[in-house]
């Protein structure tokens, strides 16, 4: 598969897996049947992949993008001061 793009669904799952394993550390307010859902990377991936929870996924992606933008701005500022 070298040189070919990943199918969109595969790319989405890999991105969400990386987020759930590397960037998400915990959560509050996630409930199922009235009970809190304990955080784990595996559960985070299930929640992020759930089509019924797209607004939550979008919130997480917005936060990740904001973190990446802020990091890029800091790097540019440091490079500009070199």
């Amino acid at each position: 598969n070298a040189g070919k793009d990943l199918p969109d669904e595969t790319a989405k799952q890999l991105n969400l897996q990386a987020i759930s394993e590397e960037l998400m550390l915990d959560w509050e307010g996630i409930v199922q049947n009235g009970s809190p859902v304990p955080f784990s990377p595996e559960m985070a991936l299930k929640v992020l992949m759930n089509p019924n929870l797209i607004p939550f996924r979008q919130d997480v992606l917005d936060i990740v993008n904001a973190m990446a933008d802020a990091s890029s701005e800091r790097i540019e500022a440091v490079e500009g001061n070199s």
Side-chain angles (χ1 to χ4, degrees), residues 6-18 45 48-49 54 57:
L6 289 174
D8 287 345
E9 194 62 28
T10 302
K12 178 175 77 174
Q13 182 166 356
L14 289 172
N15 285 330
L16 294 176
Q17 183 175 354
L45 180 58
L48 292 172
M49 292 294 296
I54 289 174
R57 175 178 39 200

Side-chain angles (χ1 to χ4, degrees), residues 44-59:
L45 180 58
K46 287 181 185 178
V47 169
L48 292 172
M49 292 294 296
N50 186 328
N52 296 320
L53 299 174
I54 289 174
F56 176 77
R57 175 178 39 200
Q58 190 58 54
D59 288 346

Side-chain angles (χ1 to χ4, degrees), residues 7-8 11-12 18 30 37 43 50 56 62 81-82:
D8 287 345
K12 178 175 77 174
I30 305 297
V37 176
M43 183 56 71
N50 186 328
F56 176 77
D62 289 346
N81 290 330
S82 311

